[in-house]
Amino acid sequence: MLQVQGVSTYYGNLQILHDVSMEVKEGEVVTVIGANGAGKTTLLKTITGLAPPRLGQVVFQGRDISRRPANEIVGLGITLVTSDRDIFPEMTVYENLLMGYYPRRKDKDGLGPGLEQVYTLFPRLKERQQQLSRTMSGGERQMLVIGRALMSAPKLLLLDEPSMGLSPRLIAEIAQSIQHMRERGVTILLVEQNCGLALSLADRGYVLQTGQVTMNDKAANLMTDPTVKRMYLGG
Ligand SMILES: Nc1ncnc2c1ncn2[C@@H]1O[C@H](COP(=O)(O)OP(=O)(O)OP(=O)(O)O)[C@@H](O)[C@H]1O
Ligand SMILES: [Mg+2]
């Protein structure tokens, strides 16, 4: 579905990604793990057109999208959930979800199935649908931004650090919803500093170190790899 081929991305003269290659197949959950500043968010920005690569290509469903504008890339079916959990604070939960549907507003399927799917995945959002979204807790906001992204019926969902700053109980809830999305066949690229969590959810993983892919393997193999254990899983 997605192939990143030999991508180098710069901010001005500063090179962040060095010849990065990776891929995501349809129906897979793939994770990119790495420390602070490794370039994980930059990789997501490269894929979504927010930080186009200087060298290399991003191919989505056979099309080179590396130099397409970000709004076109969303239109092709790649939706990014950023780590800042930006919502429309003065709108209700329901209205925020509607905003996610906006790119598909001409679909003849209508709102129904997507909204029901989001409410099934996140019953909390259904309970709180009339609540002003600025009053939602951190974990609930994370559910809301993922739910809003799903309303656009993405072919590929990119998640940037969904566990960041959440309590263990909420992390478990988010993990469960990622598991459920995976069971429903949503293709996901998950970027995380919480490497144990990410590897437990993913089929395959890539290790990004100072802008370079240093390892890639099945998630189960990475989880037991001595180097990964030492560097990312606290021994
Ligand atoms: N707009 C920008 N201009 C210049 N440098 C940037 C910009 N955005 C990020 N960087 C730098 O690029 C490097 C990689 O940042 P990036 O946000 O991709 O890392 P990350 O792996 O997502 O880190 P974290 O886990 O902390 O979110 C960092 O050194 C960062 O300071
Ligand atoms: Mg980041």
Side-chain angles (χ1 to χ4, degrees):
M1 179 174 265
L2 178 80
Q3 284 159 316
V4 173
Q5 301 168 337
V7 152
S8 293
T9 301
Y10 292 69
Y11 294 119
N13 290 325
L14 189 63
Q15 183 169 7
I16 306 297
L17 297 184
H18 300 259
D19 195 21
V20 168
S21 295
M22 51 96 52
E23 65 171 352
V24 183
K25 298 184 191 117
E26 190 166 356
E28 269 191 326
V29 175
V30 172
T31 186
V32 173
I33 59 176
N36 279 127
K40 303 179 299 296
T41 298
T42 302
L43 175 62
L44 296 182
K45 287 184 171 175
T46 298
I47 294 168
T48 51
L50 299 170
R54 190 173 294 179
L55 296 170
Q57 257 130 44
V58 179
V59 178
F60 179 63
Q61 295 191 311
R63 291 187 243 204
D64 182 354
I65 58 165
S66 25
R67 272 110 204 143
R68 299 236 194 150
N71 62 317
E72 263 183 43
I73 293 174
V74 177
L76 292 173
I78 302 183
T79 302
L80 170 64
V81 177
T82 62
S83 57
D84 52 22
R85 296 181 198 152
D86 251 341
I87 46 163
F88 299 98
E90 300 302 328
M91 292 167 102
T92 64
V93 166
Y94 172 73
E95 288 165 341
N96 267 273
L97 292 174
L98 282 191
M99 296 308 283
Y101 178 72
Y102 188 76
R104 291 174 50 219
R105 65 198 180 282
K106 290 182 181 126
D107 271 17
K108 51 186 180 333
D109 285 355
L111 184 61
L115 188 63
E116 275 320 304
Q117 191 198 19
V118 169
Y119 282 159
T120 308
L121 274 171
F122 302 104
R124 187 89 55 97
L125 296 182
K126 188 170 189 175
E127 276 165 33
R128 304 292 169 98
Q129 51 183 318
Q130 295 310 328
Q131 185 170 324
L132 268 191
S133 56
R134 69 175 154 77
T135 63
M136 298 283 274
S137 74
E140 290 167 349
R141 272 186 200 215
Q142 183 61 55
M143 294 174 193
L144 180 54
V145 292
I146 295 176
R148 186 179 58 193
L150 289 173
M151 292 297 290
S152 69
K155 294 178 183 138
L156 174 63
L157 183 64
L158 310 181
L159 299 177
D160 196 352
E161 312 240 18
S163 79
M164 192 171 63
L166 300 184
S167 70
R169 190 177 57 82
L170 279 166
I171 291 177
E173 271 187 51
I174 296 292
Q176 196 181 38
S177 56
I178 293 173
Q179 196 67 48
H180 287 156
M181 287 191 276
R182 171 215 186 123
E183 284 157 16
R184 277 151 215 255
V186 182
T187 308
I188 298 174
L189 176 55
L190 170 67
V191 157
E192 267 291 346
Q193 269 183 67
N194 186 336
C195 303
L197 173 78
L199 291 173
S200 72
L201 290 168
D203 299 292
R204 291 188 305 109
Y206 293 82
V207 176
L208 194 64
Q209 221 175 322
T210 53
Q212 283 176 299
V213 172
T214 52
M215 297 175 78
N216 87 82
D217 205 336
K218 287 185 179 155
N221 294 344
L222 288 175
M223 206 141 26
T224 55
D225 182 273
T227 311
V228 173
K229 274 171 126 170
R230 181 167 46 78
M231 290 184 70
Y232 300 106
L233 301 173

